[in-house]
Amino acid sequence: MAVAPNPEDNGDSRIVSSVDGDGRDQEYVIADITEDGAWLSMDAGDAPDLSSWR
């Protein structure tokens, strides 16, 4: 899903992603580490692979 840029964005956001957990219980997490509560997660098996993002 595409998101419109925030007109108030001052360019200080830092978006990171990670796979968290062990074994079968893994989550794919995307977060803006400059904002409290600005993150989302999904089961790692449901996350799109890199070629799907292109």
Side-chain angles (χ1 to χ4, degrees), residues 1-45:
M1 170 173 73
V3 177
N6 181 350
E8 297 179 16
D9 183 12
N10 60 9
D12 289 337
S13 63
R14 300 290 182 261
I15 310 301
V16 297
S17 66
S18 177
V19 174
D20 187 28
D22 293 323
R24 293 179 180 226
D25 189 27
Q26 292 185 331
E27 291 185 310
Y28 179 64
V29 180
I30 300 173
D32 178 346
I33 60 173
T34 64
E35 295 288 330
D36 288 338
W39 62 275
L40 60 87
S41 68
M42 67 178 72
D43 184 87

